């Protein structure tokens, strides 16, 4: 992956799905192989008209959230597609960020802010974050979590809706704020604000999009 830390590359990835048809089932199945996120049915959740997730797909199918466990079956995928046909949206988790320390041989990306003093010797000035997905686990190295402006209560992915017979895709974040109920989808923005965890100028989002790009399966 080259030229990761640019807004232009992030915009290219966002626009790369326009006019194409994503294979929803295969994309969900691919994302589920990441396996660390939790119950497999949580990799795809329903969205209402306001981009809120008030119930999971097992709950829409009349089951208890915790009873469904990892039994993602044909009825589950049928409910996903029916939800889209009913004019609603779905959200597929493709990546998330958490604390992590790289091992020998792991690829580590470093972002340096212009004007920041990186001439430090203390290890506590250096932090690593792992961006996990079904395709890649990559590490971001930086010297201050406060400057990176991202929310580790969120996960990253794609919002899919069917509008006038065509699929419409939006990339962004689901969840947020830890206690936010119900979870919501928020789209990436291009407002030129580095500190906004939704903004494409944020290097975390630029790297996350580069990882997520390889998680989509097209028809």
């Amino acid at each position: 992956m080259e030229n990761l830390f640019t807004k232009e590359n992030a915009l290219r990835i966002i626009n790369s799905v326009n006019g194409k048809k994503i294979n929803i089932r295969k994309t969900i199945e691919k994302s589920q192989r990441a396996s660390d996120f939790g119950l497999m049915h949580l990799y795809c959740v329903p969205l209402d008209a306001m981009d809120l997730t008030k119930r999971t797909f097992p709950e829409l199918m009349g089951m208890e959230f915790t009873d469904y466990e990892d039994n993602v079956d044909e009825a589950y995928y049928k409910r996903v597609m029916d939800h889209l046909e009913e004019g609603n949206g779905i959200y597929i988790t493709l990546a998330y960020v958490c604390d992590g320390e790289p091992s020998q041989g792991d690829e580590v990306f470093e972002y340096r802010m212009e004007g920041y003093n990186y001439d430090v010797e203390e290890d506590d000035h250096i932090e690593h974050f792992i961006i996990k997905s079904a395709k890649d686990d990559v590490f971001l190295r930086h010297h201050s979590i406060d400057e990176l402006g991202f929310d580790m209560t969120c996960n990253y992915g794609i919002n899919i809706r069917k509008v006038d017979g065509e699929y419409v895709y939006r990339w962004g974040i689901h969840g947020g704020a830890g206690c936010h109920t119900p979870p919501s989808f928020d789209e990436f923005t291009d407002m030129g604000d580095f500190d906004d965890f939704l903004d494409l100028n944020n290097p975390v989002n630029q790297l996350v999009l580069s990882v997520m790009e390889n998680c989509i399966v097209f028809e």
Side-chain angles (χ1 to χ4, degrees):
M1 293 183 285
E2 299 179 356
N3 299 321
L4 299 181
F5 297 118
T6 67
K7 183 179 68 176
E8 289 72 24
N9 186 55
L11 288 169
R12 177 193 63 78
I13 295 168
I14 285 175
N15 293 325
S16 67
V17 295
N18 294 342
K20 297 181 181 179
K21 187 174 182 180
I22 290 177
N23 187 311
I24 293 171
R25 176 166 181 163
K26 289 185 178 179
T27 298
I28 295 171
E29 291 173 341
K30 188 173 183 178
S31 70
Q32 288 167 344
R33 296 186 197 121
S35 72
D36 294 336
F37 184 64
L39 298 175
M40 289 178 69
H41 69 77
L42 288 178
Y43 279 89
C44 180
V45 294
L47 299 172
D48 64 15
M50 301 300 294
D51 281 335
L52 299 175
T53 298
K54 296 179 180 177
R55 291 191 292 171
T56 64
F57 279 116
E59 290 170 315
L60 291 179
M61 296 161 64
M63 305 179 203
E64 292 294 328
F65 170 86
T66 53
D67 290 345
Y68 200 67
E69 297 183 349
D70 286 349
N71 183 28
V72 180
D73 53 16
E74 292 297 326
Y76 167 86
Y77 288 111
K78 182 178 185 304
R79 191 66 192 91
V80 170
M81 299 309 296
D82 287 347
H83 193 71
L84 283 170
E85 293 297 329
E86 293 163 2
N88 304 297
I90 65 171
Y91 171 84
I92 304 175
T93 294
L94 300 177
Y96 56 99
V97 179
C98 56
D99 292 318
E101 287 295 329
S103 302
Q104 186 176 2
D106 286 333
E107 190 167 16
V108 180
F109 297 92
E110 183 168 12
Y111 183 83
R112 291 174 175 256
M113 281 184 63
E114 184 178 353
Y116 185 79
N117 179 17
Y118 287 90
D119 296 328
V120 294
E121 296 179 359
E122 298 86 351
D123 288 341
D124 60 357
H125 283 267
I126 301 173
E127 301 184 45
H128 293 90
F129 311 98
I130 183 171
I131 299 173
K132 299 181 68 67
S133 76
K135 178 64 177 177
D136 298 294
D137 288 353
V138 301
F139 288 88
L140 176 64
R141 180 178 186 268
H142 194 62
H143 288 76
S144 173
I145 187 173
D146 295 329
E147 292 181 352
L148 279 178
F150 69 92
D151 185 347
M152 286 197 289
T153 69
C154 296
N155 58 83
Y156 300 77
I158 193 164
N159 176 324
I160 303 176
R161 289 184 182 273
K162 197 170 186 180
V163 179
D164 297 329
E166 301 291 334
Y167 286 120
V168 176
Y169 309 111
R170 294 186 290 150
W171 303 78
I173 294 175
H174 185 263
C179 60
H180 184 90
T181 303
S184 64
F185 170 83
D186 294 290
E187 188 173 5
F188 286 136
T189 64
D190 181 16
M191 301 296 292
D193 184 358
F194 173 89
D195 292 327
D196 187 336
F197 68 86
L198 287 170
D199 201 276
L200 294 180
N201 289 275
N202 186 316
V204 176
N205 296 336
Q206 294 167 4
L207 185 54
V208 163
L209 277 162
S210 296
V211 172
M212 292 197 296
E213 181 180 24
N214 299 315
C215 299
I216 298 294
V217 180
F218 292 103
E219 294 284 3

